[in-house]
Amino acid sequence: MDRPFVSINMAMTADGKITSAAREEPAFASRYDKKMMDRLRAEADAVLVGAGTLRADDPPLHVRDPEMQAHRRSLGKSDGLVNILVTATASVDPGARFFTGPGASERIVATVADAPA
């Protein structure tokens, strides 16, 4: 397979919603959905998150399932993924898991040229 190869994994209701107005973690995502997310992460080089998601959810950006961690190692990959944050304003909490959480081999913040330092 040629690179780069991009995957997206998300849970969605039958009427097209991926979250509620309050942006809490969706209750409709099953344990199988979460296992699939970890499998995709186990096989990936990086995981990307947008600033809005980071501000609302502060999601963990690593492979959580021990079985999938072992699968990742069996593929010859390091334990950590590259974590990538996309933000136009750079208005994110420096204490967020993106910056402080475990498992990142590298962290990249992608922003616009006139973003605040």
Side-chain angles (χ1 to χ4, degrees), residues 63-75:
V63 179
R64 294 182 267 190
D65 182 90
E67 183 181 328
M68 289 298 104
Q69 291 169 355
H71 175 62
R72 182 173 177 78
R73 286 189 293 276
S74 78
L75 297 172

Side-chain angles (χ1 to χ4, degrees), residues 10-13 15-28 52-53 56-57:
M10 57 192 284
M12 182 173 65
T13 62
D15 62 351
K17 292 183 175 57
I18 60 172
T19 191
S20 71
R23 292 189 57 118
E24 70 270 352
E25 184 175 347
F28 53 83
T53 299
D57 300 335

